[in-house]
Amino acid sequence: MTAVATRSDFDVTDLPWVLRAGIKLGIIEAVLVLLYSLVDRFLSGPIELILCLIILVAGLAAVVALPGIWTRALTIEGIAGAAGIGLMGTAAFLLLDVAILQPIGTYTNRWLEIGGGANWWYHPVWWMVGTFIPWFGAWILANQTTKHGQPSVGGQLGLIFGLTVLVMIVAVLAHFPGAAWGIGTFGVSFLPGLALALLVSLLGTRRAA
């Protein structure tokens, strides 16, 4: 932490820092997945829905915002560093997942079915999504810094989650296959919502070639 605190520049992408930050992110992911699974297993009704939604939003917010904050992303260097943190975070999570979460019975049958019942399907998807989200999140923060001189995490998350809800509403009203008023559709809507948020953040931004 000291190495970053003493630097006033942007794009902090020293390899040791990226690796340490990725491990922290992976631990955060593992803790939130464990909490979600416990709530999903032992609670029911509105309390379960509310708590699961809070945990999901917290997890998505952490993965989309923290890597870009930690690298102080401004250019492609910091954006790529944030993606690297996301990649390392998925590696750390998947190690904890195989070594601890799965052996202690974290996942119900439903969770295993979401993953296709096998790590060979589930882990690559987590790796891709876990890298994609920090990449686009850092890009949005970098665009904010370019336009306003500093990033706004609140503005970033508000834009992303606002567009996520919009995508969810459109999907449900348009009767998109599988779309429903629930956490699952909200979670899936996050990815197109994130992509739309990036496009919005690019408006009025000029970058050197």
Side-chain angles (χ1 to χ4, degrees), residues 3-12 72:
V4 174
T6 58
R7 297 184 60 166
S8 59
D9 57 331
F10 293 89
D11 298 329
V12 182
R72 302 194 65 199

Side-chain angles (χ1 to χ4, degrees), residues 99-123:
I100 300 175
L101 297 183
Q102 292 187 30
I104 66 175
T106 297
Y107 304 115
T108 63
N109 289 333
R110 182 172 62 182
W111 278 66
L112 285 175
E113 289 168 2
I114 292 174
N119 291 330
W120 293 110
W121 186 94
Y122 159 57
H123 283 185

